[in-house]
Amino acid sequence: LDDEGDGSALSFWLVIQANDPRVQINLENRAPVQVWQEGTAELHMAGLYHNVQETLRALKFRPPGSLFENAYDPHIFEFNVTLTAYALGEIFNEPWPPALLTS
């Protein structure tokens, strides 16, 4: 694949939020991206577009463990996930924008 013009050299910041604080968002396999707050209901990820895209394939959403206390009493657990992406342009060896780090 030719990466020229497809945005793969652009840096992205991605915020993934579950609307229930009991949900844990984890990554199984991680491409070379930076990740903050893994294991919580709000995960932040930053890196090149292609690497962020690959990492999204390895997302795991874990519902609260208390739902599985009794195998004979199934539970339905619903939650919503919001993804917010910020295209940051070409950022190489530069600090991330402070406003994103404090959101």
Side-chain angles (χ1 to χ4, degrees), residues 22-28 60-65 68 77 79:
R22 300 173 297 165
V23 173
Q24 294 180 2
I25 305 171
N26 295 290
L27 297 170
E28 186 171 285
K60 299 283 185 182
F61 295 92
R62 302 187 192 285
F68 305 103
F77 181 74
F79 62 96

Side-chain angles (χ1 to χ4, degrees):
L1 279 179
D2 181 16
D3 288 341
E4 200 169 314
D6 69 357
S8 62
L10 298 177
S11 295
F12 270 73
W13 184 279
L14 188 67
V15 178
I16 304 165
Q17 295 175 299
N19 69 334
D20 189 309
R22 300 173 297 165
V23 173
Q24 294 180 2
I25 305 171
N26 295 290
L27 297 170
E28 186 171 285
N29 295 315
R30 188 180 296 195
V33 297
Q34 291 180 284
V35 176
W36 294 267
Q37 301 178 359
E38 186 172 5
T40 68
E42 181 175 322
L43 181 137
H44 293 240
M45 180 188 327
L48 294 177
Y49 171 77
H50 177 74
N51 296 337
V52 169
Q53 182 183 31
E54 286 298 312
T55 303
L56 285 175
R57 297 174 193 216
L59 276 178
K60 299 283 185 182
F61 295 92
R62 302 187 192 285
S66 61
L67 293 177
F68 305 103
E69 291 177 353
N70 183 347
Y72 301 104
D73 184 19
H75 289 82
I76 295 174
F77 181 74
E78 293 183 23
F79 62 96
N80 294 314
V81 175
T82 303
L83 287 99
T84 306
Y86 301 90
L88 303 177
E90 295 183 5
I91 297 179
F92 298 104
N93 296 320
E94 299 174 38
W96 297 109
L100 294 175
L101 293 170
T102 58
S103 65

